[in-house]
Amino acid sequence: MLILLLILAVALIVISTTKFNLHPFLALIFVAILFGLAAGVDPQTLIASINEGFGKTLGSIGLVIIIGVIIGAFLEHTGGAVRLANGMLKLIGKKRVPEAMSLTGWLISIPVFGDSGFVILNSLNKALTKKAGLSLTVTTVCLATGLMATHTMVPPTPGPIATAAIIGADLGLVIAFGAVISLFALIPPIIFARKYASKTWIEPELGDGNLDFDEKLKVAPSFIKSLIPVLVPLLLIVVKSFNDYLKILETGSLKEVIDFVGTPIIALIIGLLFAFLLPKKLEKNMLSTEGWVGKALLDSASIVMITGAGGVFGKVLQNAGLGDVIGTVLADYPVGILLPFILSSALKTAQGSSTVAMITTASIISPLLPQLGLDTEVSKALAVLAIGAGSAVVSHVSDSFFWLVTQMTGMTIAQGYRIHTVATGIVGVSCFILIYIAKLIWG
């Protein structure tokens, strides 16, 4: 019954937003409440789920989105994003922009959450796409799947680390296999982006539509000056992540400084301060309600609200016990390395969070490892990766990343399903095929 209700809930969200033009925020909230009541969730638990889902989701990503959008606004309006795009194109060539965004996302999401990485890189992605004369759908698929691949497969991202700990896998093997497999798994999504996503045209909007790329370049700040607001936050977050993982500094004032400035929100605030240096002269109207900051806040408000509503939907599904039901059904049919992948995929698709899917699946699979033939050191590491690959399949309306990608690029809900959702399915399945081959060779 819960699985049937889930299918009906997703269908209702899609129909209400595409056919009746209901705002996704309202659709998600209404359907979450209807699902909770139909599933027999206690009213007080339902209320708690709404508050917790909205609050926790925005508590972790809300300010990151807002500040990232403001940084993006300064890069767009000053021409900084155009300058970065021009510099990148000189290095990689006009014909290889999709590959560049895919590799950029792959690298960034190893230490940085996929959502944060997309927010930080979105302006650069738009500018590169504009300069290359491509549809935004092409490069967005490449960036999003690059972020998704390492977010779910390569420590020190929290999900894979927690999964490896529960499974009891060797972290070094997880990193070694995960890095190689996730990198090669990006090839099918790139092909999908070039062959299919390119047929849906979305124009990259860079802010001042009256100026073309070359005109913007004439008044843009220097390449280094434009790069700093993007690069500094990323470096600060990366340094903190790797220090936490490698424990180079375990105590002392320097570690406290790294922990503080490397927190995503603080790192982005520092990046924002550097963004204020991009205009030739910082004028007070730029920071006003009617200026760049005011417009950026309006632009980010819809994204933040929809992201929070997606968190509500996911939390209600989680508290309705959907994970237990799916786990019970699938656990009766042990199918080796395929089971962790299928279970993680089902949980991801159902409730939206890759991290929740990974941790829940690991908890269910861990006692079943001997029966599944996954009790060697290599097979344990591959089981962790199979769970990670499953947690990429698929990103849709229950996932905050879906709403982040669609709202920040101008995709409709229908386009999001045809392009972003399918692309995440492709990268997850591609990862699993490579994992299965590795299991046959080394398992």
Side-chain angles (χ1 to χ4, degrees):
M1 179 59 72
L2 281 177
I3 295 172
L4 176 60
L5 285 173
L6 173 65
I7 295 171
L8 292 173
V10 172
L12 183 56
I13 290 172
V14 174
I15 292 170
S16 62
T17 53
T18 58
K19 297 294 184 182
F20 300 105
N21 292 325
L22 185 66
H23 195 284
F25 173 79
L26 294 177
L28 284 165
I29 295 295
F30 289 158
V31 172
I33 294 172
L34 289 173
F35 177 90
L37 294 173
V41 177
D42 176 79
Q44 293 304 315
T45 303
L46 180 58
I47 293 170
S49 300
I50 294 170
N51 291 330
E52 187 179 352
F54 194 82
K56 278 195 171 182
T57 301
L58 294 191
S60 62
I61 196 68
L63 283 175
V64 171
I65 292 173
I66 293 170
I67 296 173
V69 170
I70 296 175
I71 292 174
F74 271 79
L75 283 168
E76 289 173 359
H77 288 290
T78 61
V82 170
R83 179 69 71 186
L84 289 175
N86 193 62
M88 290 282 285
L89 283 170
K90 286 181 179 178
L91 294 174
I92 62 179
K94 185 176 180 180
K95 295 182 180 179
R96 295 193 294 271
V97 170
E99 289 79 4
M101 294 316 302
S102 185
L103 290 173
T104 301
W106 178 89
L107 181 63
I108 292 302
S109 202
I110 292 175
V112 179
F113 268 106
D115 288 29
S116 301
F118 190 86
V119 170
I120 293 169
L121 295 170
N122 185 52
S123 294
L124 177 59
N125 182 45
K126 286 183 177 181
L128 280 170
T129 306
K130 185 79 170 181
K131 180 66 174 176
L134 297 171
S135 170
L136 189 57
T137 55
V138 176
T139 50
T140 297
V141 163
C142 293
L143 176 58
T145 53
L147 291 165
M148 180 71 80
T150 46
H151 177 76
T152 57
M153 300 266 292
V154 183
T157 307
I161 284 185
T163 304
I166 295 169
I167 294 291
D170 181 273
L171 205 58
L173 287 175
V174 174
I175 293 172
F177 278 106
V180 175
I181 288 171
S182 62
L183 184 60
F184 280 96
L186 295 180
I187 296 173
I190 292 172
I191 295 172
F192 170 78
R194 285 189 173 276
K195 300 295 184 183
Y196 178 79
S198 59
K199 296 178 181 178
T200 301
W201 183 266
I202 294 180
E203 181 71 24
E205 297 294 339
L206 298 183
D208 296 328
N210 58 313
L211 297 176
D212 64 22
F213 195 95
D214 293 328
E215 288 175 330
K216 281 175 170 285
L217 201 57
K218 295 176 183 177
V219 296
S222 69
F223 180 83
I224 296 298
K225 194 174 181 180
S226 302
L227 183 63
I228 288 175
V230 177
L231 188 62
V232 167
L234 292 178
L235 288 176
L236 292 174
I237 296 169
V238 167
V239 168
K240 179 184 183 302
S241 294
F242 278 100
N243 186 61
D244 290 343
Y245 174 59
L246 299 173
K247 300 190 183 301
I248 298 172
L249 297 172
E250 297 190 27
T251 57
S253 57
L254 181 57
K255 181 183 184 301
E256 292 179 1
V257 171
I258 291 172
D259 287 345
F260 178 70
V261 299
T263 303
I265 183 62
I266 301 300
L268 279 167
I269 288 174
I270 292 171
L272 179 61
L273 295 176
F274 281 113
F276 288 161
L277 302 176
L278 291 176
K280 292 182 178 179
K281 180 182 179 182
L282 183 64
E283 300 175 0
K284 60 182 180 181
N285 65 301
M286 296 176 182
L287 309 179
S288 69
T289 305
E290 295 78 20
W292 297 353
V293 172
K295 186 178 183 302
L297 289 174
L298 289 175
D299 291 342
S300 64
S302 178
I303 301 169
V304 168
M305 293 299 101
I306 292 171
T307 303
V312 170
F313 187 51
K315 192 66 181 178
V316 171
L317 295 178
Q318 185 181 341
N319 286 346
L322 200 60
D324 295 335
V325 171
I326 294 175
T328 301
V329 171
L330 292 180
D332 292 335
Y333 303 94
V335 283
I337 195 75
L338 185 61
L339 179 59
F341 174 75
I342 293 175
L343 179 55
S344 183
S345 300
L347 288 167
K348 163 65 177 181
T349 302
Q351 53 78 45
S353 170
S354 293
T355 303
V356 170
M358 281 187 270
I359 293 172
T360 305
T361 303
S363 301
I364 296 169
I365 293 296
S366 182
L368 303 175
L369 291 176
Q371 295 93 321
L372 297 172
L374 302 173
D375 49 354
T376 67
E377 286 302 319
V378 170
S379 62
K380 284 181 183 177
L382 294 176
V384 171
L385 298 180
I387 292 170
S391 72
V393 181
V394 290
S395 173
H396 68 119
V397 291
S398 65
D399 182 11
S400 62
F401 191 51
F402 174 88
W403 297 108
L404 193 67
V405 170
T406 55
Q407 295 301 302
M408 293 190 77
T409 59
M411 286 188 200
T412 65
I413 307 303
Q415 289 171 339
Y417 262 92
R418 286 193 296 104
I419 297 169
H420 174 74
T421 299
V422 173
T424 56
I426 290 172
V427 75
V429 171
S430 300
C431 285
F432 178 73
I433 291 171
L434 294 173
I435 291 164
Y436 187 78
I437 294 171
K439 178 71 169 65
L440 292 177
I441 298 173
W442 292 288

